[in-house]
Amino acid sequence: MFWSIYKGYTYLICTLTIAAQIRFSQERSCNTTDMNSSDIEAFQTNARVFSGGMDKVQVIDYYNTWDGYELDLQPGRYNGPAYTAEAVDRSFPNNKDKIRILDVAAGTGLVGDELVTRGFREVHALDPSESMLMKAKKKNIYKKFYCEFVNPEPSPNIDNDAYHCVVCCGGFGSGHIPSGALKELIRITKPGGMVIIVMREEYLNIPEYCDSLEPMMKQYQNEGLWICVERSVVHKYFCDKHGVIFRFRVLHRHL
């Protein structure tokens, strides 16, 4: 009965979200009262790639030509990378130099920068944008690179149980990582390891995720694949938008 009520509630949220999108005709806005013109421009530039109107090729092209990416997503304006690294730090307070981490949707290495600052050294990067990864390589913070999307299908380039920790900051949103890819994040994480997802909270209610992302997280917990050790909302994830942090400990990999 609880699951039926939960599903009904989720469906209602999804319906309201679709109605809101029709009403406002453009991607979610932010409160601009306390924002300067560069903040507003950065917010709008980011909103375009998360509008849901792009296919995978267009998403890659957008990131490949986003020259002001690090300026637009600078600390203080975009605090997701710091929140992500802090979550990894809470998960692995000791022997940090021995923890193998995969940074999914790594971009130019914003999360990698934060991880290295906190003492993590064995960090790998995955991103479908070759241009972004080229910029990340120049920082000398990653030991290995994968230029590909993360999909529901297993990547032939990454072994089972390859990482102690898999992190994804800002990779979930319209036109980006699908809900079905959660299973792939579990597959490549060692039993006892962590999967950490940090994203904008309101994206949980977009049509792509409202009836699948958190229900799928719950399903995999019920199946004994992982257990949620944290679901917390954080303020000023990006501009005035709240973020949500998920930390899952992988239990078994019976996929």
Side-chain angles (χ1 to χ4, degrees), residues 45-99:
T45 299
N46 182 75
R48 280 192 285 274
V49 76
F50 283 96
S51 66
M54 299 183 185
D55 59 29
K56 285 187 174 183
V57 173
Q58 290 171 320
V59 168
I60 292 175
D61 287 344
Y62 193 92
Y63 282 110
N64 281 341
T65 57
W66 190 349
D67 294 332
Y69 179 85
E70 293 209 353
L71 180 62
D72 289 338
L73 302 185
Q74 62 186 269
R77 179 183 292 154
Y78 178 44
N79 298 305
Y83 282 130
T84 302
E86 289 166 5
V88 177
D89 216 9
R90 291 196 296 277
S91 304
F92 300 96
N94 304 311
N95 301 315
K96 295 180 180 181
D97 58 326
K98 295 180 174 60
I99 303 300

Side-chain angles (χ1 to χ4, degrees), residues 217-233:
M217 291 174 174
K218 190 179 297 290
Q219 175 189 330
Y220 291 152
Q221 177 159 303
N222 291 339
E223 292 175 0
L225 298 180
W226 63 11
I227 184 169
C228 183
V229 298
E230 179 182 358
R231 184 198 187 281
S232 60
V233 174

Side-chain angles (χ1 to χ4, degrees), residues 173-234:
S174 293
H176 287 62
I177 298 174
S179 298
L182 291 176
K183 183 172 288 189
E184 175 68 349
L185 302 185
I186 295 172
R187 181 188 72 82
I188 62 178
T189 305
K190 297 176 183 293
M194 301 293 296
V195 174
I196 297 172
I197 297 169
V198 183
M199 59 185 289
R200 200 189 296 187
E201 184 190 24
E202 65 184 348
Y203 285 170
L204 293 171
N205 297 325
I206 64 175
E208 289 176 56
Y209 297 150
C210 67
D211 202 27
S212 63
L213 187 58
E214 285 202 276
M216 197 169 289
M217 291 174 174
K218 190 179 297 290
Q219 175 189 330
Y220 291 152
Q221 177 159 303
N222 291 339
E223 292 175 0
L225 298 180
W226 63 11
I227 184 169
C228 183
V229 298
E230 179 182 358
R231 184 198 187 281
S232 60
V233 174
V234 292

